[in-house]
């Protein structure tokens, strides 16, 4: 399940900064929380018996990409990736939405951004990708094309790791 949670109900004081949960998702017993800590994006991953690697490189707030309200996920057995998730950051306002084709009939309340980053779930690890796709325009829902999920799952680093028994 995934939902954007109410800011007022999910804020806590941490070192005098407000920590806001912007999105959550659970799959295969792994819980993900995308957080906004002031002007920094963070991810909290609760994954029993899996090594967690990587950090968010995008500006907050961040949200998982969805199709018809459900978080998009694709498997790529050829590189031993059980789930590939993508989250969006570097969110944009009305002017950028207009630049990318929004008009008077568009839903300006849609959350859109200019950068995405991937999360790869493997048998023994969860990897937040080093790679960031930026310079484009994506909205949380309707998400993005499967080719972008394939691209994150098949980066050179991931491809090499799949052939190394240490990462299987």
């Amino acid at each position: 399940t995934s939902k954007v949670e109410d800011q007022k109900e999910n804020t806590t004081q941490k070192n005098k900064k407000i920590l806001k949960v912007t999105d959550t998702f659970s799959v295969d017993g792994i819980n993900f929380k995308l957080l906004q800590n002031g002007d920094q994006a963070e991810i909290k991953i609760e994954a029993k018996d899996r090594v967690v690697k990587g950090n968010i490189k995008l500006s907050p707030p961040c949200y998982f990409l969805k199709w018809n309200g459900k978080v998009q996920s694709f498997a790529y057995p050829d590189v031993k990736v059980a789930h590939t998730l993508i989250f969006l950051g570097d969110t944009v306002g009305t002017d950028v939405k207009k630049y990318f084709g929004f008009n008077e009939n568009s839903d300006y309340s849609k959350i859109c951004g200019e950068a995405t980053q991937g999360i790869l779930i493997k048998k023994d690890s969860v990897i937040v990708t080093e790679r960031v796709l930026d310079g484009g325009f994506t909205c949380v829902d309707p998400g993005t094309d499967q080719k972008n999920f394939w691209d994150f799952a098949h980066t050179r680093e991931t491809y090499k790791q799949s052939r190394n028994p240490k990462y299987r």
Side-chain angles (χ1 to χ4, degrees):
T1 60
S2 173
K3 62 181 180 176
V4 177
E5 298 186 19
D6 183 40
Q7 175 181 349
K8 293 178 184 173
E9 293 179 6
N10 293 291
T11 57
T12 58
Q13 290 289 349
K14 183 179 179 183
N15 299 331
K16 297 183 181 180
K17 288 186 178 180
I18 293 178
L19 189 62
K20 175 185 167 189
V21 176
T22 56
D23 209 351
T24 62
F25 181 65
S26 296
V27 64
D28 291 350
I30 304 167
N31 298 313
F32 297 92
K33 282 186 183 176
L34 293 172
L35 307 165
Q36 181 174 349
N37 188 353
D39 62 353
Q40 297 294 312
E42 297 177 6
I43 188 166
K44 182 177 181 184
I45 302 171
E46 296 171 359
K48 207 174 204 180
D49 302 327
R50 295 186 198 221
V51 176
V52 177
K53 303 175 188 175
N55 294 305
I56 292 182
K57 295 182 171 186
L58 309 180
S59 297
C62 295
Y63 303 90
F64 290 106
L65 295 188
K66 299 170 179 74
W67 178 260
N68 292 327
K70 294 184 179 181
V71 172
Q72 289 182 283
S73 173
F74 294 94
Y76 298 98
D78 59 322
V79 287
K80 300 192 184 313
V81 174
H83 299 277
T84 305
L85 309 172
I86 296 178
F87 59 93
L88 169 144
D90 298 2
T91 54
V92 299
T94 302
D95 291 344
V96 176
K97 290 176 183 175
K98 284 181 182 175
Y99 177 81
F100 280 101
F102 275 51
N103 59 39
E104 64 276 354
N105 299 321
S106 298
D107 179 2
Y108 282 90
S109 68
K110 279 188 171 190
I111 300 168
C112 305
E114 295 182 303
T116 57
Q117 195 171 349
I119 297 173
L120 309 176
I121 301 171
K122 299 182 122 191
K123 180 178 157 186
D124 297 323
S125 61
V126 177
I127 302 165
V128 179
T129 64
E130 285 291 316
R131 184 166 193 196
V132 169
L133 298 179
D134 59 2
F137 181 80
T138 306
C139 293
V140 169
D141 200 333
T144 190
D145 191 82
Q146 185 178 349
K147 68 183 177 187
N148 293 318
F149 290 83
W150 187 96
D151 193 37
F152 278 118
H154 290 83
T155 60
R156 184 174 175 186
E157 175 186 10
T158 306
Y159 191 73
K160 282 183 179 179
Q161 289 177 357
S162 71
R163 290 174 168 34
N164 183 340
K166 180 179 174 183
Y167 295 103
R168 291 184 186 156

